[in-house]
Amino acid sequence: MRKKVQIKLKNSIDELPTLTAKIEELAEKWGLSMGISMNLNLVLEEIFTNIVNYGFTDKKEHTIVIDFIYDDILTIKMTDDGIAFNPLTDARTPDLNASVEERQIGGLGIYIVNEIMDKVDYKRIENENILILHKEVKNENHK
Amino acid sequence: MKITNNITDNYKEILLNGRLDTKTVADCEQDILAEIDDDHQNFLLDCSKISYVSSSGLRVFLKLQKMISAKQHTLTLHSMPEHIYEIFKMCNFTTIFKIVDTKDKAVAGITDN
């Protein structure tokens, strides 16, 4: 049976604990392993942080919508109404004063996302950024 | 994130307890880096109570290592939980840091120098 949950977060780093709690709650409810739960937390933290830091140029409060859908494959859809911004490629403004190591670190978050997820897609539709992530996961509860 | 330390004649051990995510790192990064002082040559980092580390946390580790190298000190990470070690491995950080299983091995590694 297809399971679906949606949460809405403000564009602020202070929302991270709420995001973490939601992922843990879903993992338990849907029988996902602790490893998967932690990997999801990593992926979503990276993307959410990039959207918050780079996706908006006004100082206003915005809403980031995250849809979790589980049907053998776990699909996560992140939608925001910020500037045209792909958190997988547009994540950081190059810091020309950064050392080689610092610049390598800058790409770490994106690397983590690509390592963990099976498939990631970005599109811009009208005034929204839509990021869709897929991962095949096993249900540990055998329900 | 709670930071404590214990000091012996041979080393200073830093203990981190909690999550190292973007939010907690923003709050405590300076405190962590301040633990690397000039009173000691050898540093241990007890990782057993680190529950989570994201790229923000990895950045702090990297900064620690850079400080250590610049001062020609040593830093040994020990007792890392399996899932934390997996993240280090995923990001190829296991080659950048000296990581051992237990505190005993970490201490032995210092006295061998």
Side-chain angles (χ1 to χ4, degrees), chain A residues 14 20 38 45-46 105 111, chain B residues 22-23 52 54-55 59 62:
Chain A
D14 291 336
T20 296
M38 178 139 174
E45 176 183 328
E46 299 301 337
I105 279 286
Y111 177 79
Chain B
T22 303
K23 182 162 161 54
Y52 172 92
S54 68
S55 68
R59 277 186 202 99
L62 198 68

Side-chain angles (χ1 to χ4, degrees), chain A residues 25-65:
Chain A
E25 181 193 309
L26 281 183
E28 199 176 309
K29 212 162 88 171
W30 292 349
L32 308 177
S33 70
M34 194 185 92
I36 294 286
S37 174
M38 178 139 174
N39 280 348
L40 288 182
N41 201 329
L42 279 174
V43 165
L44 289 174
E45 176 183 328
E46 299 301 337
I47 296 174
F48 182 78
T49 305
N50 280 342
I51 296 173
V52 166
N53 287 337
Y54 305 108
F56 306 97
T57 49
D58 59 27
K59 302 282 183 201
K60 297 187 188 144
E61 186 176 290
H62 290 263
T63 302
I64 297 169
V65 179

Side-chain angles (χ1 to χ4, degrees), chain A residues 13-17 20 24 34 38-39 41-43 45-46 49 53 99 101-102 105-109 111-112 115-116, chain B residues 19-24 26 51-59 62-63 66 83-84 86-87 89-93 96:
Chain A
I13 293 299
D14 291 336
E15 292 273 58
L16 272 183
T20 296
E24 284 173 7
M34 194 185 92
M38 178 139 174
N39 280 348
N41 201 329
L42 279 174
V43 165
E45 176 183 328
E46 299 301 337
T49 305
N53 287 337
S99 65
E101 298 102 323
E102 275 161 0
I105 279 286
L108 248 192
Y111 177 79
I112 289 173
E115 279 293 299
I116 289 173
Chain B
R19 292 173 68 87
L20 286 168
D21 61 30
T22 303
K23 182 162 161 54
T24 59
S51 57
Y52 172 92
V53 64
S54 68
S55 68
S56 303
L58 292 174
R59 277 186 202 99
L62 198 68
K63 285 187 188 176
K66 284 171 77 171
H83 57 281
I84 302 293
E86 287 302 313
I87 298 168
K89 216 165 76 170
M90 188 197 299
C91 299
N92 293 323
F93 266 38
I96 297 175

Side-chain angles (χ1 to χ4, degrees), chain A residues 47-100:
Chain A
I47 296 174
F48 182 78
T49 305
N50 280 342
I51 296 173
V52 166
N53 287 337
Y54 305 108
F56 306 97
T57 49
D58 59 27
K59 302 282 183 201
K60 297 187 188 144
E61 186 176 290
H62 290 263
T63 302
I64 297 169
V65 179
I66 307 180
D67 290 291
F68 298 84
I69 301 145
Y70 185 34
D71 197 355
D72 289 336
I73 303 222
L74 182 65
T75 301
I76 301 167
K77 179 175 160 190
M78 297 177 78
T79 310
D80 71 84
D81 64 353
I83 60 172
F85 172 72
N86 179 348
L88 298 174
T89 59
D90 308 331
R92 61 208 178 279
T93 50
D95 180 354
L96 298 176
N97 292 323
S99 65
V100 169

Side-chain angles (χ1 to χ4, degrees), chain A residues 115-132:
Chain A
E115 279 293 299
I116 289 173
M117 301 311 286
D118 295 332
K119 191 163 174 287
V120 297
D121 285 308
Y122 166 83
K123 52 192 173 191
R124 178 137 181 112
I125 296 184
E126 301 202 3
N127 67 330
E128 288 185 329
N129 295 304
I130 300 174
L131 189 72
I132 301 183

Side-chain angles (χ1 to χ4, degrees), chain B residues 35-95:
Chain B
E35 290 289 322
I36 307 297
D37 53 40
D38 289 326
D39 299 333
H40 301 90
Q41 168 75 12
N42 300 305
F43 292 81
L44 264 52
L45 208 159
D46 182 329
C47 301
S48 60
K49 297 205 164 52
I50 298 176
S51 57
Y52 172 92
V53 64
S54 68
S55 68
S56 303
L58 292 174
R59 277 186 202 99
V60 174
F61 274 96
L62 198 68
K63 285 187 188 176
L64 276 174
Q65 186 61 57
K66 284 171 77 171
M67 283 176 75
I68 289 283
S69 300
K71 292 174 192 271
Q72 298 189 314
H73 292 336
T74 71
L75 174 66
T76 308
L77 311 185
H78 73 82
S79 311
M80 211 179 260
E82 181 71 35
H83 57 281
I84 302 293
Y85 187 77
E86 287 302 313
I87 298 168
F88 270 69
K89 216 165 76 170
M90 188 197 299
C91 299
N92 293 323
F93 266 38
T94 46
T95 54

